[in-house]
Amino acid sequence: DQQVKQNSPSLSVQEGRISILNCDYTNSMFDYFLWYKKYPAEGPTFLISISSIKDKNEDGRFTVFLNKSAKHLSLHIVPSQPGDSAVYFCAASEVFGNEKLTFGTGTRLTIIP
Amino acid sequence: GAGVSQSPSNKVTEKGKDVELRCDPISGHTALYWYRQRLGQGLEFLIYFQGNSAPDKSGLPSDRFSAERTGESVSTLTIQRTQQEDSAVYLCASSLRTQGEDGYTFGSGTRLTVV
């Protein structure tokens, strides 16, 4: 039972345009959400997070939006850069913090120069 | 060290053999996690250590899997009588207990191939 779903396995975006990565979840107990970025042969690196008390969190070019009623979150990257090409994982936790994250299957983002 | 260190980076083993994977977390990080990623799948939680508390083993897939942690430092994940379905990248991560908003720091993983 996949509690965190990333339905797009891949996404290609032109450099300079906006990249939008989507994530849906089914567990209404999830209270904290994170995005991780992963390059080949490396571990995932933390990108940005949001708690359920917010609907938006922004950090530079990265913005995460949370729609609790729809159980949906998205990551916006603008403008997209070639270095953003990576696999992006959405993750969720039932408690604030880092305990036992449930990850999605990832979306491979390719930025086209 | 500066980051989370895992060894070996790659391991090929024969079905039925035991393997031991090692993780050195970031110094001072009280929480340590093991995840695995099988081909085409997301990261799957295995086990979580927090200080001197009893570990959360709820993600271990079978009793062939076990993990230990020495104090707040090194952890080893042991898989006994390996099976082909154990083939995956095993990722270790650590975090400061109070660093709630900043996520884990992952190591580069151990790629385990069972042949």
Side-chain angles (χ1 to χ4, degrees):
Chain A
D1 174 33
Q2 193 72 26
Q3 296 188 63
V4 177
K5 300 176 184 178
Q6 295 177 256
N7 293 317
S8 298
S10 64
L11 175 68
S12 294
V13 174
Q14 286 279 339
E15 181 179 359
R17 300 283 184 97
I18 183 170
S19 296
I20 300 176
L21 297 102
N22 293 304
C23 178
D24 297 289
Y25 62 95
T26 57
N27 186 347
S28 58
M29 298 299 292
F30 285 147
D31 204 41
Y32 183 61
F33 304 89
L34 307 91
W35 285 92
Y36 282 82
K37 174 180 177 179
K38 185 180 184 303
Y39 293 117
E42 294 183 13
T45 55
F46 171 75
L47 202 53
I48 193 169
S49 65
I50 189 167
S51 73
S52 61
I53 62 172
K54 297 181 179 179
D55 56 15
K56 176 182 174 182
N57 189 27
E58 193 171 350
D59 183 3
R61 297 186 297 113
F62 302 92
T63 303
V64 56
F65 295 92
L66 175 63
N67 182 333
K68 282 198 72 177
S69 61
K71 294 191 178 68
H72 178 84
L73 65 157
S74 61
L75 174 68
H76 292 210
I77 307 172
V78 56
S80 299
Q81 299 175 354
D84 296 330
S85 295
V87 177
Y88 289 78
F89 291 97
C90 170
S93 167
E94 290 188 18
V95 295
F96 178 77
N98 305 310
E99 298 176 13
K100 198 190 303 186
L101 296 178
T102 300
F103 282 82
T105 53
T107 296
R108 180 178 301 277
L109 175 65
T110 302
I111 305 302
I112 304 164
Chain B
V4 176
S5 177
Q6 291 188 246
S7 60
S9 55
N10 282 285
K11 175 74 176 177
V12 179
T13 190
E14 292 181 352
K15 178 181 172 181
K17 295 281 181 70
D18 297 352
V19 295
E20 193 171 277
L21 313 180
R22 177 186 169 106
C23 173
D24 283 276
I26 292 173
S27 178
H29 279 194
T30 59
L32 186 146
Y33 315 80
W34 283 97
Y35 283 77
R36 74 175 175 182
Q37 185 181 17
R38 289 187 282 187
L39 192 63
Q41 299 188 22
L43 279 71
E44 178 186 356
F45 169 78
L46 297 177
I47 188 169
Y48 160 57
F49 296 89
Q50 172 55 51
N52 294 321
S53 302
D56 178 347
K57 304 179 181 180
S58 61
L60 294 178
S62 78
D63 58 8
R64 295 186 295 104
F65 288 72
S66 62
E68 293 183 350
R69 187 179 186 193
T70 308
E72 292 186 351
S73 61
V74 172
S75 175
T76 54
L77 176 69
T78 301
I79 308 173
Q80 295 178 312
R81 305 181 303 282
T82 52
Q83 303 294 313
Q84 287 184 330
E85 64 262 26
D86 299 334
S87 295
V89 176
Y90 288 81
L91 291 157
C92 176
S94 69
S95 71
L96 279 172
R97 183 64 176 88
T98 57
Q99 200 172 42
E101 289 194 342
D102 292 348
Y104 306 152
T105 302
F106 278 93
S108 298
T110 294
R111 181 176 297 278
L112 176 66
T113 304
V114 182
V115 297

